[in-house]
Amino acid sequence: MAYSFTKMHGLGNDFIVIDGMTSPIDLSSDDVSAMCDRHRGIGADGVIIVRPGQGDGFMDYRNADGSLAQMCGNGVRVTAKFLVDRGYLPPGRDSLRIGTRAGLKEVRFETAGGRLSRATVTMGQPILDPAAIPVHAPVDSDHGGVPYVGALMIPTPWCPATVTCVSMGNPHAVWFVDLESMPDELVRGDRLDSLDLSAIGPYLESHTVFPEKANIEFVTVEPDGLHMRVYERGVGETLACGTGACAVLVAAYLTGRTGPSSAVHLPGGTLHIDYREDGVHMTGPASTVFHGTWE
Ligand SMILES: N[C@H](CCC[C@H](N)C(=O)O)C(=O)O
């Protein structure tokens, strides 16, 4: 069956977006992985089917390997853009609500020339209970009476990984790396972009301590904010990760490395994350690249 699609991205975290608002569309995990193949398919980090449902539309997100994920932060901004730009919202609206497998997300947006340019997503409260993340580890830290997994030491073939575990509806393990103490086979130089994630990324992603696997963030704290790279569950390294940026800010705040608001710099660009009483807020762009047909 042929599908029309729109290729979109949030800071280079790219998606194949299919309109399921007016007709039922069902893709197998094999369909998704074939579409996401960067040599034989369209190429993307994931597929989003936009469906009617909770709020103004439901984001049915799948990772490039065909697996389901509960939440995708860049994907929510892209889904909002898709709905706004295709006229699924009545004129005059500057906000919408998008359903996800991690619940309803409020999105406030700006437009340029009638098209969504930037959006702020209320991502909800971080989940810190190990059983809910999930991670097989005890709470070992406390922030203002709130227990969390702050320093889980995972032995690896290269060096110990000490991670702070946070869920934004999907599991994240945040590692504040000390590049100077890492072996040469992992990092050549003193910059985050010289870290080789190709082996340690999948090793941690699928570690038995994460019963549903995990997205792994590698972070340094710099004068201009947090710098991160991410090895995503079911995808591999991506240029940006919205839920990952939120998890990084929460982990940095809980462990006393930053305040509750920071720029988070990713290889694909910068997101602004604020951790407030009503939850975590993420602000960033969303872009449309081209339209096509998948035969
Ligand atoms: N890129 C997405 C995260 C996808 C998470 C997915 N890889 C998972 O299995 O949780 C984001 O912007 O939040």
Side-chain angles (χ1 to χ4, degrees):
M1 178 175 178
Y3 292 112
S4 297
F5 68 85
T6 302
K7 187 73 191 303
M8 304 180 75
H9 71 88
L11 296 181
N13 185 200
D14 61 337
F15 309 102
I16 297 160
V17 185
I18 298 174
D19 189 340
M21 293 293 282
T22 54
S23 56
I25 288 178
D26 190 21
L27 293 177
S28 69
S29 59
D30 287 346
D31 293 330
V32 171
S33 52
M35 296 170 98
C36 291
D37 186 311
R38 294 195 185 277
H39 299 287
R40 300 177 182 84
I42 302 161
D45 291 333
V47 171
I48 293 171
I49 303 173
V50 185
R51 302 184 187 280
Q54 312 152 18
D56 298 288
F58 181 81
M59 175 188 74
D60 180 355
Y61 169 77
R62 326 289 177 89
N63 283 319
D65 70 352
S67 62
L68 291 181
Q70 302 88 339
M71 188 41 199
C72 177
N74 288 320
V76 171
R77 299 199 316 277
V78 158
T79 301
K81 179 173 178 66
F82 186 84
L83 290 166
V84 169
D85 293 3
R86 290 174 78 111
Y88 280 113
L89 260 64
R93 291 265 298 270
D94 65 357
S95 68
L96 72 164
R97 295 183 307 154
I98 292 178
T100 76
R101 291 190 179 88
L104 206 54
K105 306 298 176 188
E106 178 89 21
V107 183
R108 307 196 68 78
F109 61 88
E110 301 163 17
T111 57
R115 293 173 179 273
L116 187 150
S117 52
R118 282 177 73 76
T120 295
V121 182
T122 300
M123 298 284 281
Q125 293 292 348
I127 298 163
L128 303 173
D129 173 5
I133 290 176
V135 58
H136 292 317
V139 294
D140 56 11
S141 307
D142 174 285
H143 180 87
V146 177
Y148 67 97
V149 180
L152 167 63
M153 198 284 280
I154 304 174
T156 82
W158 301 275
C159 65
T162 301
V163 299
T164 301
C165 298
V166 178
S167 168
M168 292 306 298
N170 57 349
H172 294 268
V174 179
W175 183 4
F176 296 97
V177 292
D178 173 8
L179 297 168
E180 290 174 5
S181 70
M182 288 174 139
D184 288 349
E185 60 188 308
L186 262 190
V187 61
R188 295 194 178 283
D190 59 357
R191 293 167 46 89
L192 193 56
D193 59 10
S194 57
L195 189 54
D196 180 355
L197 306 188
S198 59
I200 198 162
Y203 180 89
L204 291 171
E205 175 211 5
S206 300
H207 195 281
T208 53
V209 78
F210 304 117
E212 296 177 8
K213 299 185 178 182
N215 300 282
I216 313 297
E217 284 83 21
F218 304 80
V219 186
T220 57
V221 184
E222 310 292 348
D224 68 340
L226 295 160
H227 289 248
M228 67 172 272
R229 288 173 63 192
V230 59
Y231 192 91
E232 279 197 34
R233 175 178 67 168
V235 187
E237 182 168 9
T238 60
L239 294 178
C241 181
T243 52
C246 293
V248 162
L249 184 276
V250 169
Y253 173 65
L254 291 175
T255 56
R257 289 177 167 93
T258 63
S261 178
S262 178
V264 179
H265 304 285
L266 304 106
T270 298
L271 291 170
H272 293 274
I273 313 293
D274 296 286
Y275 185 13
R276 304 185 202 136
E277 285 292 313
D278 67 338
V280 184
H281 299 256
M282 168 195 65
T283 300
S287 306
T288 295
V289 187
F290 64 89
H291 305 280
T293 304
W294 171 257
E295 297 294 339

